[in-house]
C-alpha cells in the first residue's frame, strides 16, 4: 500500500508540473452502495433476505491531467459514506450499517471527440475511517482497506461535470474473525457527482 501511495503522490506531483494541462475538480454527490450479502431465514427452504442500497454522501476533489488530445488521467481524494440497509423481516429488526471511507481513485480517461463526453476506468483504494451499526462501533468487523475497480462516464458543459461511476469491489469488506466463517462478499457502489473545473 505504501508503494501505491508513493505512486499516487508522484502522479499528483507530475500533474502539478504541467499546470497548463491540469484541471482540478471539486466534487459533491451521492453514493448508492451495499454489500452483496444475504441472511438465511430458513435453511430448509433456502429462503434468505438481501440488503438494499444505502444512500450516502461523497465529497472531495480530483486532479485531471490531459496527456494527449483524446487521453488523460486523474487522481482523486474523496470522502465516501457507504454501507448496507437490511430490511425488517418478521422478528428480525431492520438495520443500517454506516461505513466511512477515504478513497483515492486513479483513473484513465478517454475523451469522445469534442462532445464533452468521456469514459473512465481505473483502480481505487479506500481506507476505512469508521463503521457503525445501530450506534455501536463495529469497525473491528471490517477490513481497513477496500479495493475496487471504478468504471464510469462523464459529461462536461460550461465547466460543470456530471460523473457517474460503478465501483466493482475486488476485496472482501468483512474482517476474518476467530471461529467465525465470514461470507465471501464484495461491495457494490453507484456514485453520482457534480464537479466544477478550476
Amino acid at each position: 500500500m505504501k508503494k501505491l501511495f508513493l505512486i499516487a503522490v508522484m502522479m499528483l506531483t507530475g500533474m502539478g508540473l504541467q499546470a497548463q494541462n491540469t484541471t482540478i475538480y471539486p466534487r459533491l454527490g451521492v453514493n448508492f452502495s451495499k454489500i452483496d450479502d444475504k441472511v438465511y431465514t430458513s435453511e430448509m427452504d433456502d429462503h434468505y433476505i438481501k440488503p438494499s442500497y444505502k444512500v450516502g454522501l461523497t465529497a472531495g476533489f480530483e486532479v485531471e491531467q490531459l496527456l494527449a488530445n483524446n487521453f488523460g488521467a486523474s487522481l482523486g481524494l474523496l470522502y465516501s459514506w457507504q454501507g448496507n440497509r437490511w430490511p425488517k423481516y418478521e422478528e428480525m429488526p431492520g438495520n443500517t450499517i454506516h461505513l466511512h471511507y477515504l478513497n483515492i481513485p486513479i483513473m484513465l480517461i478517454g475523451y469522445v471527440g469534442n462532445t464533452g463526453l468521456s469514459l473512465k476506468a481505473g483502480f481505487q483504494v479506500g481506507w476505512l475511517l469508521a463503521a457503525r451499526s445501530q450506534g455501536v462501533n463495529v469497525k473491528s468487523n471490517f477490513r481497513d482497506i477496500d479495493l475496487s475497480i471504478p468504471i464510469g462516464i462523464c459529461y462536461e458543459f460550461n465547466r460543470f461535470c456530471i460523473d457517474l461511476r460503478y465501483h466493482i469491489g475486488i476485496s472482501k469488506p468483512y474482517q476474518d474473525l476467530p471461529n467465525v466463517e465470514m461470507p465471501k462478499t464484495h461491495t457494490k457502489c453507484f456514485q453520482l457527482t457534480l464537479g466544477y473545473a478550476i
Side-chain angles (χ1 to χ4, degrees), residues 145-166:
I145 301 297
D146 180 71
L147 305 177
S148 65
I149 297 175
I151 55 174
I153 184 170
C154 178
Y155 179 65
E156 185 170 342
F157 62 101
N158 295 332
R159 305 185 73 84
F160 286 96
C161 176
I162 298 176
D163 188 289
L164 176 63
R165 299 178 191 178
Y166 176 63

Side-chain angles (χ1 to χ4, degrees), residues 30-97:
V30 294
N31 292 322
F32 301 89
S33 63
K34 71 175 181 178
I35 299 172
D36 58 351
D37 200 355
K38 57 187 176 183
V39 172
Y40 284 91
T41 57
S42 173
E43 297 256 348
M44 185 175 297
D45 298 329
D46 195 31
H47 187 272
Y48 54 83
I49 58 173
K50 284 188 170 186
S52 57
Y53 282 95
K54 176 190 176 300
V55 180
L57 174 73
T58 184
F61 71 93
E62 287 186 294
V63 181
E64 187 173 313
Q65 176 68 50
L66 182 66
L67 302 176
N69 288 337
N70 296 309
F71 182 71
S74 69
L75 175 66
L77 186 65
L78 297 168
Y79 162 76
S80 187
W81 182 14
Q82 300 172 202
N84 250 2
R85 284 178 56 87
W86 288 99
K88 183 177 180 180
Y89 178 79
E90 294 182 355
E91 73 280 0
M92 294 174 59
N95 183 25
T96 301
I97 298 174

